Amino acid sequence: MSELFEAVDALVASRAPLPPAQERKRLRQAHGLTLDEVAAALKVRRATVSGWESVKKTVEPRGLEREAYARLLNKLAELYPAPPVPEGPAAPAAPATFTAAPAPAEAQTPPPDLAPDTAAATATGNTQITPGPLPPAPPAAPRPARTAKSTSTSRRPDARKAAPVSSPAGGSDPRFENGPLAVVDVDTNGQVLAYCTGGLVLEVPAKSLPALVEWTLKEARLGQPKLSGPGKDADPLLVLTQGALQRYGLPVALTEEERLAGRIPEGHKVIKQLARADWKLTKRGLGPWARIYRPATGSERACVQLCIPSWHALDSRHWGNAAQLPPADLARVLGVYASRVMTPRGSTAVTGLELMTALHPPTRASEPGADGKRHSAHNPGSLGKDPVDCAPCEAPDGHPLLADLPRFHVRGPSEKLFEEAYDWARPLTDDECLRRHLVGIDVNMAFAAGANGLIVGLGAPTHVTNPVFDPKLPGSWLVDLSHVDLSWVKAGKEWVELDGDLLPSPFTPKGERPEGPAWYATPTVAYAVELGYEVRPIEAWVRYDNGRYLDGWYQRLRDAYLATMADLGVHADLSPADFLAAMEDYKSRDPQLAIVVSAIKATVKGGLGKLRERPRGEGWRPGQPWRALARPTWRPDIRAAVISRTRTNLHRKIVKHAAFTGQYPVAILSDCVVYAAGGPSPLDFLPYREDKPLPGGFKLGINPGLVKHEGTQSVLWGEEVRERFNAPALNLARYIKDGTVTDIDNGE
């Protein structure tokens, strides 16, 4: 019977519906694919794909090729739906100031030795960009004609255009048809050019920074639609290269004094120019990330954001070498990030925090009153527009709530909530020393996965004494968990016997067993109950106003991560062996997209870290408030809950793995776990059966919460390192990736 069903499926697939030839070509070009790339993916000749797109004499694919081709086109159609044909009079033609572009990329494929995208044409600025014949363009939504005063000119580079992002940032909104941002540079002829996403280049007529801001708001059509109904559209972002800085009278680099201050002096001539033109700067002034604005009139915003890479706006720890990329390539990197995450608003940490607010704006318009007018009202599910005090146990040292404590008082576990990621290691057993390898596995987007579905507090905490623990009630609980014995715990529905001495405690970052009452976030206490033990809290600070505030944030970052990894050839449906192979060199397939992956991951960790931002100089003294406390998003309880859940999620998998295989971790650092194994691959110790993992245990894959191979070193390497530093419990997870040990592990 199954053979009959397979035959029927094959018959249906051989007649999979396909769009017209012109639509096939539009979808391919919309995603920046060449005929050669499609042919290679479908394992056919280039001429075959060309025939499928031929309007004069269309050749129809058959069999498995047709099924695969239909699948490709269906996915592209989801990303690039054809705009509806306007009814009535024909849509107005593009303004005359927009000149033609060259032929499609496949007709101008550069020699193999040239850099990808537009790097060859823009790296040195020696190639003059010239207009060419206009290629067949996809149908476009009607847009208003440009005013006669417009002097900007749209052109595309001679070199192969940068691959467009999967979701055009501007979408069909004509206000933002040129994307969310532009990289402003000056060519060898002195012409200022704005490199936008998708390879678009605009000529910039502005002669000063105030004029550049005016041009951006009135003519450039840059920006990004809001991410949530009550939210606000993203302000256009201008990235100024060194050439643009010189043109507009700004320093190419900051002095040491300016770098420490984070801005150029208030008396700088460019700042005076802005003031004379009635433009204002925010309190952080004109620094690596700056906002130039005029007070809003009604619902209209007049604000432009600047990013200045040579002033260290793009941290190399998160953005790699993005600051050194040619303008078109930098526009591509930032454009992909903007379309999939959001337009950057500062560091990746700042952007991660801003993304939370953009998805849950603090206010929304109320229902019309008796007079028919609406007013600003609290947006349900958000953190509101006013900050709330944390509980005393959640306050970091130096917080105003702790001002009455003695100056040198050190708070212990019964006074301070201390939910942090793992930093734990132990000596190898005799049996583990006989194995040849130490294999590290790393949880993908671990903290993002910890945020998924997590119930967090939205409002102020309420103090309760002798409460009954409720795993669905977010908060901080003072409870004694020292009685939890890891040698006899529940794993799922069954009690299992383990070697508790080889396991870290799930209740402390260092893996030490608690010695008495301590403060814990809800997920930690809930895990103690899950392990089969009774808990009796002494007191608690709970939040009755709560919700899944981070769900949309997680989903946005998850989708961005998976889409970018898929572009790099790492898909969510790969088998374990294929996944490990795909991960080996994924960064080299497209180094620019690899930068985007790094930035997305940094957005997760940095955004959560910002929830408990500490003082940053400014003459702060313990007991005094600092600037971050004025934000509604200063919420150390939410950060603690995410870390708590991430740590217990990892411990749950470790327990499940130990119960089934008898294998125990050697070291854990945050989301990286090291095991001793007989072979160098994770498949040498993960209990896969016919590509199926242990239920509830570690699973190889790219999705958040699944694991990848972090690195492999020999057992002899680990023992030699520990002996060299005279540290039997040196955390080898910190060095497992490349084996380089620079200093004694101090746990910081």
Side-chain angles (χ1 to χ4, degrees):
M1 183 64 71
S2 62
E3 295 179 357
L4 290 176
F5 287 165
E6 291 174 359
V8 170
D9 292 342
L11 190 62
V12 172
S14 68
R15 298 293 186 272
L18 297 173
Q22 188 173 3
E23 177 67 2
R24 302 173 196 176
K25 186 174 183 178
R26 182 190 76 83
L27 291 172
R28 174 177 61 78
Q29 291 180 342
H31 201 60
L33 298 175
T34 65
L35 291 172
D36 291 321
E37 289 172 330
V38 175
L42 300 178
K43 298 181 179 179
V44 297
R45 295 184 301 115
R46 182 183 188 276
T48 302
V49 180
S50 179
W52 295 345
E53 294 182 355
S54 174
V55 178
K56 295 182 179 179
K57 189 177 180 181
T58 305
V59 179
E60 294 296 323
R62 297 180 180 180
L64 293 177
E65 294 171 358
R66 185 182 184 93
E67 180 183 6
Y69 190 44
R71 180 180 177 84
L72 170 66
L73 295 176
N74 287 337
K75 288 186 174 295
L76 293 178
E78 294 175 2
L79 296 172
Y80 311 102
V85 179
E87 298 180 0
T97 54
F98 277 70
T99 61
E106 61 266 23
Q108 302 183 20
T109 304
D113 57 334
L114 292 185
D117 303 318
T118 57
T122 60
T124 62
N126 292 330
T127 302
Q128 171 63 35
I129 301 173
T130 57
L134 184 68
R143 59 188 179 187
R146 229 180 261 280
T147 63
K149 293 182 179 180
S150 173
T151 56
S152 64
T153 303
S154 144
R155 302 181 296 182
R156 293 188 183 271
D158 275 343
R160 183 166 63 89
K161 72 176 183 180
V165 297
S166 295
S167 264
S172 59
D173 193 327
R175 298 174 302 159
F176 312 128
E177 63 181 352
N178 292 335
L181 55 88
V183 179
V184 181
D185 192 29
V186 181
D187 67 11
T188 53
N189 294 326
Q191 174 62 53
V192 181
L193 301 175
Y195 293 79
C196 306
T197 57
L200 178 68
V201 181
L202 303 175
E203 284 187 356
V204 181
K207 304 298 183 182
S208 66
L209 189 60
L212 177 64
V213 175
E214 294 277 3
W215 172 84
T216 302
L217 293 172
K218 292 182 178 179
E219 299 183 38
R221 296 188 182 182
L222 296 174
Q224 190 175 30
K226 57 189 176 183
L227 298 179
S228 177
K232 299 176 182 177
D233 297 327
D235 299 319
L237 173 64
L238 296 181
V239 184
L240 303 184
T241 66
Q242 294 187 21
L245 292 173
Q246 292 176 329
R247 166 59 64 91
Y248 293 122
L250 291 168
V252 171
L254 298 179
T255 65
E256 182 64 15
E257 182 180 356
E258 292 168 344
R259 186 188 66 80
L260 293 175
R263 65 183 76 187
I264 60 176
E266 295 294 327
H268 194 280
K269 63 178 182 179
V270 173
I271 295 181
K272 292 180 179 179
Q273 289 175 1
L274 292 169
R276 285 195 297 269
D278 294 328
W279 290 107
K280 298 180 180 294
L281 291 164
T282 59
K283 290 183 179 179
R284 62 183 176 184
L286 185 48
W289 292 91
R291 286 184 179 275
I292 303 174
Y293 72 99
R294 284 180 181 143
T297 56
S299 61
E300 293 297 323
R301 287 171 58 85
C303 182
V304 171
Q305 180 167 293
L306 301 184
C307 167
I308 305 178
S310 65
W311 294 4
H312 305 292
L314 301 175
D315 192 328
S316 60
R317 295 173 298 176
H318 310 139
W319 290 102
N321 68 336
Q324 285 75 48
L325 290 175
D329 294 339
L330 179 55
R332 182 196 180 211
V333 168
L334 294 176
V336 173
Y337 179 89
S339 71
R340 293 176 175 173
V341 180
M342 70 182 301
T343 303
R345 298 188 181 180
S347 66
T348 51
V350 169
T351 304
L353 197 68
E354 291 285 342
L355 180 61
M356 298 179 194
T357 304
L359 293 169
H360 288 286
T363 60
R364 63 179 176 87
S366 68
E367 295 298 325
D371 55 358
K373 295 183 179 180
R374 299 175 184 268
H375 61 275
S376 178
H378 175 74
N379 184 28
S382 75
L383 299 182
K385 61 183 180 64
D386 299 316
V388 296
D389 281 336
C390 62
C393 62
E394 298 164 350
D397 293 338
H399 191 280
L401 289 175
L402 311 176
D404 294 336
L405 290 178
R407 182 177 179 183
F408 297 105
H409 178 74
V410 178
R411 293 187 295 161
S414 62
E415 299 173 280
K416 179 180 179 180
L417 176 70
F418 192 66
E419 293 284 9
E420 298 294 340
Y422 267 130
D423 186 355
W424 169 87
R426 62 169 177 82
L428 274 66
T429 64
D430 292 343
D431 178 64
E432 290 166 341
C433 287
L434 296 177
R435 299 175 190 174
R436 298 182 60 185
H437 300 280
L438 295 172
V439 183
I441 53 176
D442 181 80
V443 181
N444 292 313
M445 300 272 283
F447 294 101
N452 182 28
L454 179 64
I455 301 175
V456 300
L458 301 177
T462 301
H463 186 251
V464 184
T465 56
N466 298 318
V468 176
F469 177 68
D470 182 353
K472 296 182 179 180
L473 187 60
S476 301
W477 309 77
L478 180 62
V479 58
D480 189 351
L481 300 180
S482 61
H483 62 292
V484 178
D485 185 2
L486 294 181
S487 62
W488 183 246
V489 297
K490 265 189 175 182
K493 296 182 179 180
E494 299 180 355
W495 286 90
V496 295
E497 188 173 357
L498 304 171
D499 189 340
D501 293 335
L502 300 181
L503 286 171
S505 168
F507 310 128
T508 61
K510 291 293 185 180
E512 301 164 345
R513 186 168 179 169
E515 298 179 351
W519 286 99
Y520 303 101
T522 297
T524 301
V525 185
Y527 185 59
V529 176
E530 181 184 328
L531 291 176
Y533 289 85
E534 183 182 10
V535 296
R536 294 181 179 178
I538 302 169
E539 60 176 305
W541 289 90
V542 297
R543 289 170 170 83
Y544 295 108
D545 179 14
N546 53 65
R548 296 186 174 185
Y549 175 73
L550 295 174
D551 272 11
W553 183 80
Y554 159 76
Q555 291 161 10
R556 180 86 176 171
L557 290 165
R558 174 204 62 193
D559 293 348
Y561 176 69
L562 292 180
T564 311
M565 290 301 294
D567 289 343
L568 288 166
V570 185
H571 301 274
D573 55 356
L574 293 175
S575 67
D578 290 342
F579 168 71
L580 291 174
M583 287 294 294
E584 284 183 0
D585 61 346
Y586 78 92
K587 293 183 179 180
S588 63
R589 293 173 200 144
D590 191 329
Q592 293 174 16
L593 288 184
I595 292 174
V596 178
V597 171
S598 173
I600 292 171
K601 293 193 288 187
T603 303
V604 174
K605 290 187 177 181
L608 293 172
K610 277 282 185 180
L611 291 170
R612 200 191 69 162
E613 184 178 358
R614 302 302 305 276
R616 305 178 68 179
E618 301 176 348
W620 175 81
R621 291 185 177 182
Q624 296 179 343
W626 58 93
R627 184 185 301 181
L629 299 185
R631 295 194 323 249
T633 49
W634 192 84
R635 292 295 300 273
D637 56 299
I638 296 180
R639 173 187 177 274
V642 173
I643 295 176
S644 165
R645 192 166 188 236
T646 302
R647 194 182 65 247
T648 54
N649 281 349
L650 182 60
H651 195 274
R652 184 181 296 108
K653 290 180 172 63
I654 291 171
V655 166
K656 196 76 175 180
H657 184 85
F660 187 81
T661 66
Q663 298 171 340
Y664 296 84
V666 173
I668 309 173
L669 182 67
S670 187
D671 47 10
C672 175
V673 188
V674 177
Y675 282 89
S681 168
L683 290 175
D684 291 317
F685 71 92
L686 294 181
Y688 270 84
R689 299 293 183 271
E690 298 180 354
D691 287 348
K692 294 183 179 180
L694 170 69
F698 295 109
K699 179 181 178 181
L700 290 166
I702 197 59
N703 279 297
L706 306 188
V707 299
K708 63 179 182 293
H709 184 203
E710 178 69 5
T712 297
Q713 305 296 329
S714 69
V715 169
L716 291 177
W717 165 85
E719 290 299 275
E720 187 276 329
V721 166
R722 285 178 164 177
E723 182 177 349
R724 188 198 326 163
F725 291 109
N726 191 26
L730 184 76
N731 195 335
L732 300 176
R734 193 181 304 275
Y735 317 109
I736 195 71
K737 189 167 189 175
D738 59 10
T740 302
V741 183
T742 56
D743 200 353
I744 295 179
D745 177 18
N746 57 16
E748 296 182 358

